[in-house]
Amino acid sequence: MIHYPQLKKGDTIGVTAPSSGVDKNLHHLVNESIFRMEQRGYQTICGDTVWQQKKASAAPASIRGQEFNNMMKDPAVDIIIPPWGGELLIEMLEYVDFKKMNRKWILGYSDTSLLLLAITLRNGLATAHGTNFIDLRGESMDQTTARWIDVLSTRKGDSVIQASSIKYQKEWDFENPSSEVFHLTEPTEWKTVSGRKEQFKGRFLGGCIDVIRHLVGTPYGDVVQFREAYTTGEPIIWYLENCEMNTVDLRRTLVQMKLAGWFDHCAGLVFGRSSANAPVEDYVIEDVYEALSRELEVPVVYDVDCGHVPPQITFINGAVGEVTVENGKGTIEQWFM
């Protein structure tokens, strides 16, 4: 059985940095997000790790782990949202107290997704792959990003539907900040390897493939144990997004995950938009997707609103979901059951 927290108006957000903290010259971004969230009716508690960054992380791994543990145990904290991702979250996994976790949402993406997936696999606690705290600093939120509140407010037993965005952001324009943080200029198009309508159902797991791949073969990446302990036998829908890998590195990683059994009992795969996926010789990203779909004999959809090319849908690790894609548009329905 999956455990689903529920966000409520007036809840207190704990901001801690399990990976990277925020350099002093960017502290204003954190303060802007605190201000906006208070305007929206939420309180905020920031840990010490948020305000520092050295040697590619916010603090030594044990300190990051302890601050995270404290926030998970603190009854005054209702939801945890890291400021953003980073590079070295994997260092702090061994310091996470998986045995003493209160049921509360953890929301984020990028390096944070490694922590999210590990917690869902180990504890059966649903976790949320979506916006980070820094990106909530805008005067308003675009309609895709804004749904994180609706999704995390869903009651156990109910469902929530999210639709593909209208436009996405091709590149950052820091010289001309927008009221929504993002500059959504390019028409969104969800695609399928088959070129036809695809619809499939299963239980969602996933994250940033650059980092979650490092859970393969560790005690934090036991997908078989998760299915046996916390599901009723549903197949898995993997949602994955690529931050930095070229096509052959991505292909190697996907083959490793397949050989490790991660794609056993898979209903389909969803890949987020990416500014990476650089081709190697004539080996392009569509070749990667087509090979995976053929080998696993499952549908593959791509260029979905997920990951480092905003905006992004809020995916819930552990939730039962249905993906529907047709004519460039799509929906994600998730049941908290």
Side-chain angles (χ1 to χ4, degrees), residues 125-172:
L125 176 64
T127 55
H129 185 280
T131 188
N132 59 42
F133 192 68
I134 291 294
D135 289 337
L136 295 175
R137 68 186 186 277
E139 186 178 335
S140 58
M141 294 182 286
D142 67 88
Q143 62 183 13
T144 304
T145 303
R147 295 300 308 283
W148 74 270
I149 295 176
D150 298 332
V151 174
L152 302 194
S153 300
T154 302
R155 296 177 181 273
K156 184 173 182 178
D158 290 347
S159 70
V160 59
I161 299 175
Q162 298 170 86
S164 52
S165 66
I166 298 173
K167 293 185 177 181
Y168 71 91
Q169 174 178 283
K170 184 177 182 180
E171 57 189 18
W172 288 99

Short mmCIF file of all heavy atoms in Angstrom, two decimals, residues 125-172:
data_model
loop_
_atom_site.label_atom_id
_atom_site.label_comp_id
_atom_site.label_asym_id
_atom_site.label_seq_id
_atom_site.Cartn_x
_atom_site.Cartn_y
_atom_site.Cartn_z
N LEU A 125 6.33 5.52 0.42
CA LEU A 125 5.80 6.87 0.61
C LEU A 125 5.78 7.57 -0.74
O LEU A 125 6.82 7.69 -1.39
CB LEU A 125 6.66 7.66 1.60
CG LEU A 125 6.28 9.13 1.83
CD1 LEU A 125 4.90 9.24 2.46
CD2 LEU A 125 7.34 9.80 2.73
N ALA A 126 4.62 8.03 -1.18
CA ALA A 126 4.52 8.74 -2.45
C ALA A 126 5.35 10.03 -2.39
O ALA A 126 5.36 10.72 -1.37
CB ALA A 126 3.06 9.07 -2.75
N THR A 127 6.06 10.32 -3.46
CA THR A 127 6.85 11.54 -3.55
C THR A 127 6.52 12.24 -4.86
O THR A 127 6.02 11.62 -5.80
CB THR A 127 8.36 11.23 -3.48
OG1 THR A 127 8.70 10.27 -4.50
CG2 THR A 127 8.76 10.69 -2.12
N ALA A 128 6.81 13.54 -4.92
CA ALA A 128 6.32 14.37 -6.03
C ALA A 128 7.46 14.93 -6.87
O ALA A 128 8.28 15.70 -6.38
CB ALA A 128 5.47 15.50 -5.48
N HIS A 129 7.49 14.56 -8.14
CA HIS A 129 8.47 15.07 -9.08
C HIS A 129 7.85 16.26 -9.81
O HIS A 129 6.93 16.11 -10.60
CB HIS A 129 8.87 13.99 -10.09
CG HIS A 129 9.97 14.39 -11.03
ND1 HIS A 129 9.73 15.15 -12.14
CD2 HIS A 129 11.30 14.14 -11.02
CE1 HIS A 129 10.87 15.35 -12.79
NE2 HIS A 129 11.84 14.74 -12.13
N GLY A 130 8.35 17.45 -9.49
CA GLY A 130 7.79 18.65 -10.11
C GLY A 130 8.66 19.86 -9.83
O GLY A 130 9.88 19.75 -9.73
N THR A 131 8.04 21.00 -9.69
CA THR A 131 8.77 22.26 -9.53
C THR A 131 9.65 22.27 -8.28
O THR A 131 9.43 21.53 -7.34
CB THR A 131 7.76 23.43 -9.45
OG1 THR A 131 8.47 24.66 -9.48
CG2 THR A 131 6.92 23.35 -8.19
N ASN A 132 10.67 23.12 -8.30
CA ASN A 132 11.46 23.33 -7.10
C ASN A 132 11.07 24.67 -6.46
O ASN A 132 10.28 25.43 -7.02
CB ASN A 132 12.97 23.24 -7.38
CG ASN A 132 13.45 24.26 -8.39
OD1 ASN A 132 13.05 25.41 -8.38
ND2 ASN A 132 14.33 23.84 -9.28
N PHE A 133 11.63 24.96 -5.30
CA PHE A 133 11.21 26.14 -4.54
C PHE A 133 11.58 27.45 -5.24
O PHE A 133 10.79 28.38 -5.29
CB PHE A 133 11.83 26.10 -3.14
CG PHE A 133 11.25 27.11 -2.19
CD1 PHE A 133 9.93 27.00 -1.75
CD2 PHE A 133 12.01 28.17 -1.74
CE1 PHE A 133 9.39 27.94 -0.88
CE2 PHE A 133 11.48 29.11 -0.87
CZ PHE A 133 10.17 28.99 -0.43
N ILE A 134 12.78 27.50 -5.82
CA ILE A 134 13.25 28.72 -6.48
C ILE A 134 12.31 29.14 -7.61
O ILE A 134 12.08 30.33 -7.85
CB ILE A 134 14.68 28.53 -7.01
CG1 ILE A 134 15.68 28.42 -5.86
CG2 ILE A 134 15.07 29.66 -7.96
CD1 ILE A 134 15.85 29.67 -5.04
N ASP A 135 11.74 28.15 -8.31
CA ASP A 135 10.89 28.47 -9.45
C ASP A 135 9.47 28.86 -9.06
O ASP A 135 8.62 29.08 -9.93
CB ASP A 135 10.86 27.29 -10.43
CG ASP A 135 12.19 27.13 -11.15
OD1 ASP A 135 12.94 28.11 -11.24
OD2 ASP A 135 12.48 26.01 -11.64
N LEU A 136 9.22 28.98 -7.75
CA LEU A 136 7.91 29.44 -7.28
C LEU A 136 7.95 30.90 -6.86
O LEU A 136 7.06 31.38 -6.17
CB LEU A 136 7.45 28.56 -6.11
CG LEU A 136 7.19 27.10 -6.46
CD1 LEU A 136 6.86 26.30 -5.21
CD2 LEU A 136 6.07 26.97 -7.49
N ARG A 137 8.97 31.62 -7.30
CA ARG A 137 9.15 33.01 -6.87
C ARG A 137 8.39 34.01 -7.71
O ARG A 137 8.39 35.21 -7.42
CB ARG A 137 10.63 33.37 -6.87
CG ARG A 137 11.27 33.45 -8.25
CD ARG A 137 12.77 33.67 -8.17
NE ARG A 137 13.38 33.87 -9.48
CZ ARG A 137 13.74 32.90 -10.31
NH1 ARG A 137 13.53 31.64 -9.96
NH2 ARG A 137 14.29 33.18 -11.48
N GLY A 138 7.75 33.56 -8.77
CA GLY A 138 7.08 34.48 -9.68
C GLY A 138 5.83 35.11 -9.08
O GLY A 138 5.20 34.57 -8.18
N GLU A 139 5.48 36.24 -9.62
CA GLU A 139 4.24 36.92 -9.21
C GLU A 139 3.04 36.02 -9.46
O GLU A 139 2.05 36.05 -8.72
CB GLU A 139 4.11 38.23 -10.00
CG GLU A 139 2.96 39.11 -9.60
CD GLU A 139 2.93 40.40 -10.39
OE1 GLU A 139 4.00 40.83 -10.88
OE2 GLU A 139 1.84 40.98 -10.52
N SER A 140 3.13 35.21 -10.50
CA SER A 140 2.09 34.22 -10.80
C SER A 140 2.78 32.93 -11.25
O SER A 140 3.99 32.89 -11.40
CB SER A 140 1.15 34.74 -11.90
OG SER A 140 1.89 35.05 -13.08
N MET A 141 1.99 31.89 -11.45
CA MET A 141 2.50 30.62 -11.95
C MET A 141 1.79 30.27 -13.23
O MET A 141 0.57 30.49 -13.35
CB MET A 141 2.28 29.50 -10.91
CG MET A 141 3.06 29.66 -9.63
SD MET A 141 2.79 28.26 -8.46
CE MET A 141 1.12 28.64 -7.87
N ASP A 142 2.52 29.73 -14.23
CA ASP A 142 1.86 29.27 -15.44
C ASP A 142 0.91 28.13 -15.08
O ASP A 142 1.04 27.49 -14.04
CB ASP A 142 2.90 28.82 -16.47
CG ASP A 142 3.66 27.58 -16.03
OD1 ASP A 142 3.17 26.46 -16.32
OD2 ASP A 142 4.70 27.73 -15.37
N GLN A 143 -0.03 27.86 -15.95
CA GLN A 143 -1.11 26.93 -15.61
C GLN A 143 -0.64 25.49 -15.43
O GLN A 143 -1.28 24.72 -14.72
CB GLN A 143 -2.21 26.98 -16.68
CG GLN A 143 -1.77 26.56 -18.07
CD GLN A 143 -2.90 26.71 -19.09
OE1 GLN A 143 -3.93 27.33 -18.83
NE2 GLN A 143 -2.71 26.14 -20.27
N THR A 144 0.50 25.13 -16.01
CA THR A 144 1.03 23.78 -15.82
C THR A 144 1.73 23.66 -14.48
O THR A 144 1.47 22.75 -13.70
CB THR A 144 2.00 23.41 -16.96
OG1 THR A 144 1.31 23.54 -18.22
CG2 THR A 144 2.50 21.98 -16.81
N THR A 145 2.63 24.59 -14.19
CA THR A 145 3.34 24.59 -12.91
C THR A 145 2.38 24.69 -11.74
O THR A 145 2.52 24.00 -10.73
CB THR A 145 4.35 25.74 -12.85
OG1 THR A 145 5.27 25.64 -13.95
CG2 THR A 145 5.12 25.73 -11.54
N ALA A 146 1.38 25.55 -11.88
CA ALA A 146 0.45 25.83 -10.78
C ALA A 146 -0.31 24.60 -10.30
O ALA A 146 -0.78 24.57 -9.16
CB ALA A 146 -0.54 26.92 -11.20
N ARG A 147 -0.39 23.58 -11.12
CA ARG A 147 -1.16 22.40 -10.75
C ARG A 147 -0.51 21.60 -9.62
O ARG A 147 -1.14 20.68 -9.08
CB ARG A 147 -1.38 21.50 -11.96
CG ARG A 147 -2.24 22.08 -13.08
CD ARG A 147 -3.66 22.44 -12.62
NE ARG A 147 -4.35 21.37 -11.95
CZ ARG A 147 -4.92 20.33 -12.56
NH1 ARG A 147 -4.86 20.21 -13.89
NH2 ARG A 147 -5.55 19.41 -11.86
N TRP A 148 0.74 21.92 -9.25
CA TRP A 148 1.37 21.17 -8.15
C TRP A 148 0.52 21.25 -6.89
O TRP A 148 0.44 20.29 -6.12
CB TRP A 148 2.79 21.66 -7.88
CG TRP A 148 2.93 22.98 -7.19
CD1 TRP A 148 3.01 24.21 -7.77
CD2 TRP A 148 3.02 23.22 -5.77
NE1 TRP A 148 3.13 25.20 -6.81
CE2 TRP A 148 3.14 24.62 -5.58
CE3 TRP A 148 3.00 22.38 -4.65
CZ2 TRP A 148 3.25 25.20 -4.31
CZ3 TRP A 148 3.10 22.97 -3.39
CH2 TRP A 148 3.22 24.35 -3.22
N ILE A 149 -0.14 22.38 -6.68
CA ILE A 149 -0.97 22.55 -5.50
C ILE A 149 -2.18 21.61 -5.57
O ILE A 149 -2.52 20.93 -4.59
CB ILE A 149 -1.42 24.01 -5.35
CG1 ILE A 149 -0.20 24.91 -5.10
CG2 ILE A 149 -2.43 24.16 -4.22
CD1 ILE A 149 -0.52 26.39 -5.04
N ASP A 150 -2.84 21.56 -6.73
CA ASP A 150 -4.00 20.68 -6.89
C ASP A 150 -3.60 19.22 -6.72
O ASP A 150 -4.30 18.44 -6.07
CB ASP A 150 -4.61 20.86 -8.29
CG ASP A 150 -5.13 22.26 -8.52
OD1 ASP A 150 -5.52 22.92 -7.54
OD2 ASP A 150 -5.14 22.69 -9.69
N VAL A 151 -2.46 18.84 -7.32
CA VAL A 151 -2.04 17.45 -7.27
C VAL A 151 -1.73 17.03 -5.84
O VAL A 151 -2.19 15.99 -5.35
CB VAL A 151 -0.81 17.23 -8.18
CG1 VAL A 151 -0.27 15.80 -8.01
CG2 VAL A 151 -1.16 17.49 -9.63
N LEU A 152 -0.97 17.86 -5.13
CA LEU A 152 -0.57 17.48 -3.77
C LEU A 152 -1.70 17.65 -2.76
O LEU A 152 -1.59 17.17 -1.62
CB LEU A 152 0.64 18.29 -3.32
CG LEU A 152 1.89 18.17 -4.20
CD1 LEU A 152 3.11 18.73 -3.48
CD2 LEU A 152 2.16 16.74 -4.63
N SER A 153 -2.79 18.29 -3.16
CA SER A 153 -3.97 18.43 -2.30
C SER A 153 -4.97 17.31 -2.51
O SER A 153 -5.99 17.24 -1.81
CB SER A 153 -4.66 19.77 -2.54
OG SER A 153 -3.80 20.86 -2.27
N THR A 154 -4.71 16.43 -3.48
CA THR A 154 -5.63 15.34 -3.79
C THR A 154 -5.75 14.38 -2.61
O THR A 154 -4.76 14.01 -1.99
CB THR A 154 -5.14 14.57 -5.03
OG1 THR A 154 -5.03 15.48 -6.13
CG2 THR A 154 -6.09 13.44 -5.40
N ARG A 155 -6.97 13.98 -2.31
CA ARG A 155 -7.21 13.04 -1.21
C ARG A 155 -6.92 11.61 -1.65
O ARG A 155 -7.07 11.27 -2.82
CB ARG A 155 -8.68 13.13 -0.75
CG ARG A 155 -9.08 14.46 -0.15
CD ARG A 155 -10.56 14.44 0.19
NE ARG A 155 -11.00 15.70 0.74
CZ ARG A 155 -10.94 16.03 2.03
NH1 ARG A 155 -10.47 15.15 2.90
NH2 ARG A 155 -11.37 17.21 2.45
N LYS A 156 -6.50 10.80 -0.70
CA LYS A 156 -6.30 9.40 -1.00
C LYS A 156 -7.60 8.79 -1.51
O LYS A 156 -8.67 9.02 -0.94
CB LYS A 156 -5.81 8.65 0.24
CG LYS A 156 -5.50 7.19 -0.04
CD LYS A 156 -4.86 6.50 1.15
CE LYS A 156 -4.52 5.05 0.81
NZ LYS A 156 -3.85 4.35 1.93
N GLY A 157 -7.53 8.04 -2.59
CA GLY A 157 -8.71 7.44 -3.21
C GLY A 157 -9.26 8.24 -4.36
O GLY A 157 -10.03 7.72 -5.17
N ASP A 158 -8.86 9.53 -4.46
CA ASP A 158 -9.31 10.38 -5.55
C ASP A 158 -8.27 10.39 -6.67
O ASP A 158 -7.18 9.84 -6.55
CB ASP A 158 -9.56 11.80 -5.05
CG ASP A 158 -10.77 11.89 -4.15
OD1 ASP A 158 -11.56 10.91 -4.10
OD2 ASP A 158 -10.94 12.92 -3.46
N SER A 159 -8.63 11.07 -7.76
CA SER A 159 -7.70 11.19 -8.88
C SER A 159 -7.59 12.64 -9.31
O SER A 159 -8.42 13.48 -8.96
CB SER A 159 -8.17 10.33 -10.06
OG SER A 159 -9.34 10.88 -10.66
N VAL A 160 -6.56 12.92 -10.10
CA VAL A 160 -6.33 14.27 -10.61
C VAL A 160 -5.79 14.15 -12.03
O VAL A 160 -5.00 13.27 -12.33
CB VAL A 160 -5.36 15.05 -9.69
CG1 VAL A 160 -4.01 14.35 -9.58
CG2 VAL A 160 -5.19 16.49 -10.15
N ILE A 161 -6.25 15.04 -12.90
CA ILE A 161 -5.85 15.02 -14.31
C ILE A 161 -5.06 16.28 -14.63
O ILE A 161 -5.46 17.39 -14.26
CB ILE A 161 -7.08 14.94 -15.25
CG1 ILE A 161 -7.88 13.65 -14.99
CG2 ILE A 161 -6.64 14.99 -16.71
CD1 ILE A 161 -9.16 13.55 -15.80
N GLN A 162 -3.93 16.10 -15.31
CA GLN A 162 -3.14 17.23 -15.81
C GLN A 162 -3.01 17.09 -17.33
O GLN A 162 -2.86 15.99 -17.85
CB GLN A 162 -1.76 17.24 -15.18
CG GLN A 162 -1.79 17.41 -13.67
CD GLN A 162 -0.41 17.18 -13.06
OE1 GLN A 162 0.40 18.10 -12.98
NE2 GLN A 162 -0.15 15.96 -12.64
N ALA A 163 -3.02 18.22 -18.02
CA ALA A 163 -2.94 18.23 -19.48
C ALA A 163 -1.61 18.80 -19.94
O ALA A 163 -0.93 19.53 -19.21
CB ALA A 163 -4.08 19.06 -20.06
N SER A 164 -1.23 18.46 -21.16
CA SER A 164 -0.01 19.00 -21.74
C SER A 164 -0.08 20.53 -21.79
O SER A 164 -1.15 21.12 -21.93
CB SER A 164 0.20 18.44 -23.15
OG SER A 164 -0.96 18.61 -23.94
N SER A 165 1.08 21.15 -21.66
CA SER A 165 1.13 22.61 -21.70
C SER A 165 0.81 23.11 -23.10
O SER A 165 0.84 22.35 -24.08
CB SER A 165 2.52 23.10 -21.28
OG SER A 165 3.50 22.70 -22.23
N ILE A 166 0.55 24.39 -23.21
CA ILE A 166 0.34 25.01 -24.52
C ILE A 166 1.68 25.37 -25.15
O ILE A 166 1.93 25.11 -26.32
CB ILE A 166 -0.55 26.26 -24.39
CG1 ILE A 166 -1.93 25.86 -23.85
CG2 ILE A 166 -0.70 26.96 -25.74
CD1 ILE A 166 -2.83 27.03 -23.51
N LYS A 167 2.58 25.95 -24.32
CA LYS A 167 3.90 26.34 -24.81
C LYS A 167 4.95 25.99 -23.76
O LYS A 167 4.64 25.86 -22.58
CB LYS A 167 3.96 27.83 -25.13
CG LYS A 167 3.09 28.23 -26.31
CD LYS A 167 3.28 29.71 -26.66
CE LYS A 167 2.46 30.09 -27.90
NZ LYS A 167 2.65 31.52 -28.26
N TYR A 168 6.20 25.85 -24.20
CA TYR A 168 7.30 25.57 -23.29
C TYR A 168 8.41 26.59 -23.48
O TYR A 168 8.41 27.39 -24.43
CB TYR A 168 7.82 24.15 -23.48
CG TYR A 168 8.59 23.89 -24.76
CD1 TYR A 168 9.97 24.05 -24.82
CD2 TYR A 168 7.93 23.46 -25.92
CE1 TYR A 168 10.68 23.80 -25.99
CE2 TYR A 168 8.63 23.21 -27.10
CZ TYR A 168 10.00 23.38 -27.12
OH TYR A 168 10.69 23.14 -28.28
N GLN A 169 9.39 26.57 -22.57
CA GLN A 169 10.50 27.51 -22.60
C GLN A 169 11.69 26.90 -23.33
O GLN A 169 12.23 25.88 -22.91
CB GLN A 169 10.91 27.90 -21.19
CG GLN A 169 12.16 28.78 -21.12
CD GLN A 169 12.52 29.19 -19.72
OE1 GLN A 169 11.90 30.09 -19.16
NE2 GLN A 169 13.51 28.53 -19.13
N LYS A 170 12.13 27.54 -24.39
CA LYS A 170 13.27 27.05 -25.16
C LYS A 170 14.58 27.43 -24.48
O LYS A 170 15.54 26.65 -24.47
CB LYS A 170 13.24 27.61 -26.58
CG LYS A 170 14.35 27.07 -27.47
CD LYS A 170 14.21 27.60 -28.88
CE LYS A 170 15.30 27.02 -29.79
NZ LYS A 170 15.18 27.54 -31.18
N GLU A 171 14.66 28.63 -23.92
CA GLU A 171 15.89 29.08 -23.28
C GLU A 171 15.57 30.12 -22.21
O GLU A 171 14.53 30.79 -22.25
CB GLU A 171 16.88 29.65 -24.30
CG GLU A 171 16.32 30.80 -25.11
CD GLU A 171 17.24 31.21 -26.26
OE1 GLU A 171 18.12 30.42 -26.64
OE2 GLU A 171 17.06 32.34 -26.76
N TRP A 172 16.49 30.25 -21.25
CA TRP A 172 16.32 31.23 -20.17
C TRP A 172 16.64 32.62 -20.68
O TRP A 172 17.55 32.81 -21.49
CB TRP A 172 17.25 30.89 -19.00
CG TRP A 172 16.82 29.69 -18.23
CD1 TRP A 172 17.30 28.42 -18.36
CD2 TRP A 172 15.80 29.62 -17.22
NE1 TRP A 172 16.66 27.57 -17.49
CE2 TRP A 172 15.73 28.28 -16.77
CE3 TRP A 172 14.96 30.57 -16.65
CZ2 TRP A 172 14.87 27.86 -15.79
CZ3 TRP A 172 14.08 30.16 -15.66
CH2 TRP A 172 14.03 28.82 -15.24
#
